mmCIF file of all heavy atoms in Angstrom:
data_model
loop_
_atom_site.group_PDB
_atom_site.id
_atom_site.type_symbol
_atom_site.label_atom_id
_atom_site.label_comp_id
_atom_site.label_asym_id
_atom_site.label_seq_id
_atom_site.Cartn_x
_atom_site.Cartn_y
_atom_site.Cartn_z
ATOM 1 N N GLY A 588 116.099 35.672 93.087
ATOM 2 C CA GLY A 588 115.645 36.739 93.981
ATOM 3 C C GLY A 588 115.986 36.364 95.412
ATOM 4 O O GLY A 588 116.401 35.227 95.684
ATOM 5 N N LEU A 589 115.811 37.313 96.299
ATOM 6 C CA LEU A 589 116.162 37.105 97.715
ATOM 7 C C LEU A 589 115.341 35.975 98.331
ATOM 8 O O LEU A 589 114.295 35.605 97.790
ATOM 9 C CB LEU A 589 115.869 38.397 98.493
ATOM 10 C CG LEU A 589 116.721 39.611 98.140
ATOM 11 C CD1 LEU A 589 116.144 40.862 98.811
ATOM 12 C CD2 LEU A 589 118.165 39.379 98.582
ATOM 13 N N SER A 590 115.825 35.471 99.443
ATOM 14 C CA SER A 590 115.053 34.482 100.183
ATOM 15 C C SER A 590 113.734 35.130 100.625
ATOM 16 O O SER A 590 113.746 36.270 101.107
ATOM 17 C CB SER A 590 115.857 34.031 101.399
ATOM 18 O OG SER A 590 115.077 33.208 102.216
ATOM 19 N N GLY A 591 112.636 34.452 100.399
ATOM 20 C CA GLY A 591 111.337 34.997 100.779
ATOM 21 C C GLY A 591 110.747 35.952 99.754
ATOM 22 O O GLY A 591 109.686 36.533 99.953
ATOM 23 N N ALA A 592 111.424 36.104 98.598
ATOM 24 C CA ALA A 592 110.936 37.033 97.574
ATOM 25 C C ALA A 592 109.620 36.536 96.970
ATOM 26 O O ALA A 592 108.788 37.328 96.521
ATOM 27 C CB ALA A 592 111.983 37.200 96.475
ATOM 28 N N GLY A 593 109.436 35.216 96.945
ATOM 29 C CA GLY A 593 108.214 34.669 96.361
ATOM 30 C C GLY A 593 108.485 33.725 95.196
ATOM 31 O O GLY A 593 107.566 33.360 94.458
ATOM 32 N N LYS A 594 109.721 33.307 95.012
ATOM 33 C CA LYS A 594 110.089 32.443 93.879
ATOM 34 C C LYS A 594 109.294 31.136 93.905
ATOM 35 O O LYS A 594 108.637 30.778 92.928
ATOM 36 C CB LYS A 594 111.606 32.120 93.910
ATOM 37 C CG LYS A 594 112.509 33.341 93.891
ATOM 38 C CD LYS A 594 113.986 32.977 93.913
ATOM 39 C CE LYS A 594 114.444 32.278 95.179
ATOM 40 N NZ LYS A 594 114.345 33.084 96.424
ATOM 41 N N SER A 595 109.370 30.429 95.016
ATOM 42 C CA SER A 595 108.698 29.126 95.093
ATOM 43 C C SER A 595 107.186 29.277 94.960
ATOM 44 O O SER A 595 106.535 28.464 94.298
ATOM 45 C CB SER A 595 108.977 28.441 96.426
ATOM 46 O OG SER A 595 110.345 28.440 96.670
ATOM 47 N N THR A 596 106.655 30.307 95.578
ATOM 48 C CA THR A 596 105.195 30.500 95.554
ATOM 49 C C THR A 596 104.716 30.720 94.115
ATOM 50 O O THR A 596 103.766 30.081 93.661
ATOM 51 C CB THR A 596 104.820 31.712 96.444
ATOM 52 O OG1 THR A 596 105.436 31.532 97.719
ATOM 53 C CG2 THR A 596 103.331 31.841 96.597
ATOM 54 N N ILE A 597 105.410 31.587 93.384
ATOM 55 C CA ILE A 597 105.000 31.865 91.998
ATOM 56 C C ILE A 597 105.259 30.626 91.130
ATOM 57 O O ILE A 597 104.426 30.251 90.296
ATOM 58 C CB ILE A 597 105.764 33.080 91.425
ATOM 59 C CG1 ILE A 597 105.487 34.309 92.290
ATOM 60 C CG2 ILE A 597 105.366 33.349 89.982
ATOM 61 C CD1 ILE A 597 106.421 35.478 92.022
ATOM 62 N N ASP A 616 113.424 23.215 93.131
ATOM 63 C CA ASP A 616 113.354 24.276 94.127
ATOM 64 C C ASP A 616 114.611 24.215 94.996
ATOM 65 O O ASP A 616 114.977 23.136 95.479
ATOM 66 C CB ASP A 616 112.098 24.077 94.980
ATOM 67 C CG ASP A 616 111.906 25.199 95.978
ATOM 68 O OD1 ASP A 616 112.567 25.170 97.042
ATOM 69 O OD2 ASP A 616 111.122 26.115 95.673
ATOM 70 N N ASP A 618 115.413 24.974 98.042
ATOM 71 C CA ASP A 618 115.303 24.368 99.366
ATOM 72 C C ASP A 618 115.172 22.851 99.261
ATOM 73 O O ASP A 618 115.743 22.119 100.060
ATOM 74 C CB ASP A 618 114.089 24.943 100.114
ATOM 75 C CG ASP A 618 114.373 26.368 100.591
ATOM 76 O OD1 ASP A 618 115.486 26.590 101.105
ATOM 77 O OD2 ASP A 618 113.500 27.243 100.419
ATOM 78 N N ALA A 659 113.924 27.340 91.069
ATOM 79 C CA ALA A 659 113.751 28.457 92.000
ATOM 80 C C ALA A 659 114.794 28.362 93.102
ATOM 81 O O ALA A 659 114.644 27.577 94.029
ATOM 82 C CB ALA A 659 112.336 28.434 92.589
ATOM 83 N N VAL A 661 117.858 31.080 95.200
ATOM 84 C CA VAL A 661 118.261 32.484 95.325
ATOM 85 C C VAL A 661 119.212 32.856 94.180
ATOM 86 O O VAL A 661 119.062 33.880 93.543
ATOM 87 C CB VAL A 661 118.968 32.723 96.695
ATOM 88 C CG1 VAL A 661 119.505 34.144 96.768
ATOM 89 C CG2 VAL A 661 117.974 32.469 97.831
ATOM 90 N N VAL A 685 112.524 37.897 90.551
ATOM 91 C CA VAL A 685 111.461 38.203 91.516
ATOM 92 C C VAL A 685 112.018 39.305 92.414
ATOM 93 O O VAL A 685 112.775 39.053 93.341
ATOM 94 C CB VAL A 685 111.060 36.937 92.308
ATOM 95 C CG1 VAL A 685 109.888 37.260 93.228
ATOM 96 C CG2 VAL A 685 110.698 35.812 91.361
ATOM 97 N N THR A 687 111.655 41.553 94.918
ATOM 98 C CA THR A 687 110.966 41.985 96.139
ATOM 99 C C THR A 687 111.986 42.704 97.031
ATOM 100 O O THR A 687 113.055 42.156 97.307
ATOM 101 C CB THR A 687 110.403 40.762 96.881
ATOM 102 O OG1 THR A 687 109.631 39.996 95.952
ATOM 103 C CG2 THR A 687 109.529 41.172 98.054
ATOM 104 N N ARG A 695 108.223 39.628 105.800
ATOM 105 C CA ARG A 695 107.530 38.338 105.652
ATOM 106 C C ARG A 695 108.217 37.290 106.532
ATOM 107 O O ARG A 695 107.558 36.512 107.193
ATOM 108 C CB ARG A 695 107.605 37.853 104.202
ATOM 109 C CG ARG A 695 106.739 38.646 103.242
ATOM 110 C CD ARG A 695 106.898 38.094 101.823
ATOM 111 N NE ARG A 695 106.246 38.949 100.842
ATOM 112 C CZ ARG A 695 106.503 38.914 99.549
ATOM 113 N NH1 ARG A 695 107.413 38.080 99.065
ATOM 114 N NH2 ARG A 695 105.857 39.711 98.728
ATOM 115 N N VAL A 697 109.291 34.303 106.409
ATOM 116 C CA VAL A 697 108.533 33.050 106.516
ATOM 117 C C VAL A 697 109.230 32.038 107.409
ATOM 118 O O VAL A 697 108.605 31.335 108.183
ATOM 119 C CB VAL A 697 108.344 32.429 105.106
ATOM 120 C CG1 VAL A 697 107.285 31.349 105.126
ATOM 121 C CG2 VAL A 697 108.021 33.505 104.097
ATOM 122 N N LYS A 698 110.577 31.937 107.266
ATOM 123 C CA LYS A 698 111.284 30.886 108.004
ATOM 124 C C LYS A 698 112.026 31.429 109.230
ATOM 125 O O LYS A 698 112.804 30.707 109.852
ATOM 126 C CB LYS A 698 112.280 30.188 107.073
ATOM 127 C CG LYS A 698 111.639 29.605 105.830
ATOM 128 C CD LYS A 698 112.697 29.110 104.844
ATOM 129 C CE LYS A 698 112.152 29.177 103.430
ATOM 130 N NZ LYS A 698 113.236 29.190 102.437
ATOM 131 N N SER A 730 107.167 42.195 90.133
ATOM 132 C CA SER A 730 107.000 42.835 91.438
ATOM 133 C C SER A 730 106.006 42.007 92.231
ATOM 134 O O SER A 730 104.943 41.636 91.731
ATOM 135 C CB SER A 730 106.455 44.247 91.250
ATOM 136 O OG SER A 730 105.809 44.656 92.442
ATOM 137 N N THR A 731 106.358 41.680 93.471
ATOM 138 C CA THR A 731 105.387 40.933 94.287
ATOM 139 C C THR A 731 104.660 41.869 95.246
ATOM 140 O O THR A 731 103.830 41.449 96.027
ATOM 141 C CB THR A 731 106.071 39.804 95.099
ATOM 142 O OG1 THR A 731 106.948 40.399 96.050
ATOM 143 C CG2 THR A 731 106.819 38.854 94.207
ATOM 144 N N VAL A 732 105.047 43.160 95.146
ATOM 145 C CA VAL A 732 104.350 44.131 96.008
ATOM 146 C C VAL A 732 103.034 44.520 95.342
ATOM 147 O O VAL A 732 101.998 44.628 95.989
ATOM 148 C CB VAL A 732 105.253 45.357 96.255
ATOM 149 C CG1 VAL A 732 104.514 46.415 97.065
ATOM 150 C CG2 VAL A 732 106.535 44.933 96.971
ATOM 151 N N ASN A 733 103.071 44.672 94.013
ATOM 152 C CA ASN A 733 101.856 45.078 93.307
ATOM 153 C C ASN A 733 101.050 43.909 92.749
ATOM 154 O O ASN A 733 99.876 44.059 92.468
ATOM 155 C CB ASN A 733 102.221 45.999 92.130
ATOM 156 C CG ASN A 733 102.993 47.208 92.616
ATOM 157 O OD1 ASN A 733 102.668 47.768 93.666
ATOM 158 N ND2 ASN A 733 104.028 47.575 91.880
ATOM 159 N N ASN A 734 101.704 42.760 92.542
ATOM 160 C CA ASN A 734 101.024 41.638 91.886
ATOM 161 C C ASN A 734 100.874 40.434 92.801
ATOM 162 O O ASN A 734 101.790 40.128 93.566
ATOM 163 C CB ASN A 734 101.820 41.173 90.659
ATOM 164 C CG ASN A 734 101.741 42.168 89.522
ATOM 165 O OD1 ASN A 734 100.879 43.050 89.504
ATOM 166 N ND2 ASN A 734 102.652 42.027 88.571
ATOM 167 N N THR A 735 99.740 39.743 92.658
ATOM 168 C CA THR A 735 99.572 38.472 93.383
ATOM 169 C C THR A 735 100.419 37.405 92.705
ATOM 170 O O THR A 735 100.813 37.565 91.535
ATOM 171 C CB THR A 735 98.105 37.997 93.335
ATOM 172 O OG1 THR A 735 97.788 37.757 91.953
ATOM 173 C CG2 THR A 735 97.153 39.025 93.925
ATOM 174 N N PRO A 736 100.688 36.283 93.410
ATOM 175 C CA PRO A 736 101.431 35.187 92.770
ATOM 176 C C PRO A 736 100.752 34.713 91.486
ATOM 177 O O PRO A 736 101.424 34.450 90.494
ATOM 178 C CB PRO A 736 101.429 34.092 93.837
ATOM 179 C CG PRO A 736 101.237 34.797 95.139
ATOM 180 C CD PRO A 736 100.425 36.010 94.836
ATOM 181 N N ASN A 739 101.392 37.091 88.567
ATOM 182 C CA ASN A 739 102.771 36.966 88.078
ATOM 183 C C ASN A 739 102.960 35.673 87.279
ATOM 184 O O ASN A 739 103.609 35.670 86.227
ATOM 185 C CB ASN A 739 103.758 37.017 89.238
ATOM 186 C CG ASN A 739 104.057 38.454 89.651
ATOM 187 O OD1 ASN A 739 103.969 39.369 88.818
ATOM 188 N ND2 ASN A 739 104.387 38.652 90.911
HETATM 189 P P1 ADP B 1035 111.401 32.164 97.966
HETATM 190 O O1 ADP B 1035 111.137 30.907 97.235
HETATM 191 O O2 ADP B 1035 111.701 33.312 97.016
HETATM 192 O O3 ADP B 1035 112.388 32.049 99.058
HETATM 193 P P2 ADP B 1035 108.757 31.765 99.013
HETATM 194 O O4 ADP B 1035 107.872 31.675 97.828
HETATM 195 O O5 ADP B 1035 109.171 30.508 99.699
HETATM 196 O O6 ADP B 1035 110.041 32.612 98.637
HETATM 197 O O7 ADP B 1035 108.123 32.711 100.112
HETATM 198 C C1 ADP B 1035 107.443 33.895 99.796
HETATM 199 C C2 ADP B 1035 106.448 34.209 100.912
HETATM 200 O O8 ADP B 1035 105.886 35.463 100.656
HETATM 201 C C3 ADP B 1035 105.319 33.201 100.958
HETATM 202 O O9 ADP B 1035 104.980 32.940 102.270
HETATM 203 C C4 ADP B 1035 104.175 33.942 100.271
HETATM 204 O O10 ADP B 1035 102.910 33.542 100.712
HETATM 205 C C5 ADP B 1035 104.451 35.376 100.628
HETATM 206 N N1 ADP B 1035 103.934 36.352 99.680
HETATM 207 C C6 ADP B 1035 103.177 37.425 99.993
HETATM 208 N N2 ADP B 1035 102.848 38.118 98.886
HETATM 209 C C7 ADP B 1035 103.403 37.480 97.843
HETATM 210 C C8 ADP B 1035 103.405 37.719 96.444
HETATM 211 N N3 ADP B 1035 102.770 38.759 95.902
HETATM 212 N N4 ADP B 1035 104.090 36.867 95.639
HETATM 213 C C9 ADP B 1035 104.743 35.807 96.178
HETATM 214 N N5 ADP B 1035 104.758 35.537 97.483
HETATM 215 C C10 ADP B 1035 104.095 36.357 98.328
#
Side-chain angles (χ1 to χ4, degrees):
L589 294 170
S590 173
K594 303 180 295 296
S595 310
T596 309
I597 301 167
D616 184 280
D618 286 316
V661 175
V685 184
T687 308
R695 288 179 189 162
V697 195
K698 303 172 208 159
S730 157
T731 66
V732 176
N733 303 320
N734 288 344
T735 63
N739 278 332

